[in-house]
Amino acid sequence: MRSTVVTFPSGRTSGRSRIAGVVPVGDRHGLAVAETPFHPLDHTWPDQPADRGTIAGMPVLDCVTGALSSSGEAFVGGDIPVRRGAEGWEWLVLHVTSEPLPVGAEVELAVDAGFRAGLSAGHTACHLAALALNAALADRWRKEPALDGLGRPDFDQAAITSSRIVPYGSVDVYRLGKSLRKKGFPAEGLDPAQVARRVNEQLAAWVAAGAPVAIDVPGPELTARRTWRCSLPEGEASIPCGGTHVRGTGELGRIEVSLTLEEAALTMRTTCA
């Protein structure tokens, strides 16, 4: 097998390819193909869920990342013992099914386009909300932090502990502990409702701007280091990202966030329509 070529960064939701191998995934079968439109769950940062759909007419029960060592040993998801893209390893999209298919068979792959559309909208809205949150919190920093793509203090990257994309939304959790305070961000007196208002005002302006969104794709393989870009009025924003996205902020209708603060954790829930 060779590393899987992926077409989902360009928005593809269908394709035809040959079965390159079969990897056991529990008591199920992980079908690897030469080229796929399916977006798998990323084992290193599992923010965007796997695509749904069919392969050779069979339901794809899950879609995960697999890795094959130089000795031919296969690993799946969290059991992969090396960093993503490690040299000497083959990196695979595994379409998990209840029945195997013969190696070499040519198959049709079809992604659930409606589900993909919801995740793409949610993922773009998630990135925009993170940038807007950075802007809303910029004046609270007491030290010089790393900056985001728009030149603002990158609270999102400094504090995030988990991110989960859902159809037309996301849930992001930020830790406001000692380590963040040492970096120069005091959380005392933070008013979530006030911050949310500032974030939502910024998001409304960005949606109204109809800013184009693009994915930089340096190569066709699964492990290529892709970058999300958005040409906002304030400048070109960029975030490393392996997910799927809409093509412009105007497709999102309205983006709105709510913020809650509990036990030194700030949770941002983002929705778009």
Side-chain angles (χ1 to χ4, degrees), residues 48 119-121 123-125 127 213 215 228 241-247:
Q48 182 168 333
L119 294 178
S120 296
H123 208 150
T124 300
H127 285 343
V213 173
I215 305 295
W228 173 89
C241 181
T244 64
H245 292 276
V246 299
R247 297 189 177 184

Side-chain angles (χ1 to χ4, degrees), residues 41-220:
L41 183 69
D42 189 320
H43 69 292
T44 58
W45 186 246
D47 56 344
Q48 182 168 333
D51 278 334
R52 299 172 181 173
T54 60
I55 181 170
M58 290 192 301
V60 173
L61 306 175
D62 199 359
C63 192
V64 297
T65 302
L68 198 66
S69 72
S70 57
S71 64
E73 190 174 4
F75 299 87
V76 177
D79 292 333
I80 297 174
V82 294
R83 290 189 176 186
R84 173 191 171 116
E87 290 188 15
W89 289 67
E90 301 297 337
W91 294 86
L92 311 171
V93 175
L94 299 178
H95 311 76
V96 181
T97 61
S98 59
E99 300 293 335
L101 289 172
V103 173
E106 191 167 316
V107 295
E108 294 284 348
L109 299 108
V111 171
D112 182 331
F115 185 66
R116 161 76 70 78
L119 294 178
S120 296
H123 208 150
T124 300
C126 177
H127 285 343
L128 292 170
L131 291 167
L133 181 63
N134 288 348
L137 296 175
D139 58 2
R140 295 186 64 88
W141 289 87
R142 299 296 177 261
K143 295 181 181 179
E144 289 294 329
L147 304 180
D148 66 17
L150 295 177
R152 292 160 174 160
D154 201 341
F155 172 84
D156 176 74
Q157 287 301 302
I160 195 162
T161 59
S162 68
S163 180
R164 177 68 172 174
I165 308 299
V166 298
Y168 299 100
S170 64
V171 180
D172 297 274
V173 180
Y174 301 94
R175 187 69 181 170
L176 308 179
K178 291 182 180 179
S179 62
L180 190 63
R181 190 179 304 114
K182 289 179 179 178
K183 292 177 182 178
F185 187 92
E188 292 78 15
L190 184 67
D191 183 345
Q194 183 182 55
V195 175
R197 283 195 294 272
R198 295 175 68 180
V199 171
N200 287 328
E201 288 173 0
Q202 179 65 86
L203 290 171
W206 285 344
V207 169
V213 173
I215 305 295
D216 284 353
V217 184

Side-chain angles (χ1 to χ4, degrees), residues 6-38:
V6 295
T7 60
F8 61 78
S10 66
R12 290 280 297 278
T13 56
S14 64
R16 188 172 182 86
S17 191
R18 293 186 182 277
I19 303 293
V22 182
V23 174
V25 181
D27 59 353
R28 294 172 173 172
H29 310 276
L31 306 181
V33 297
E35 180 179 290
T36 184
F38 276 78

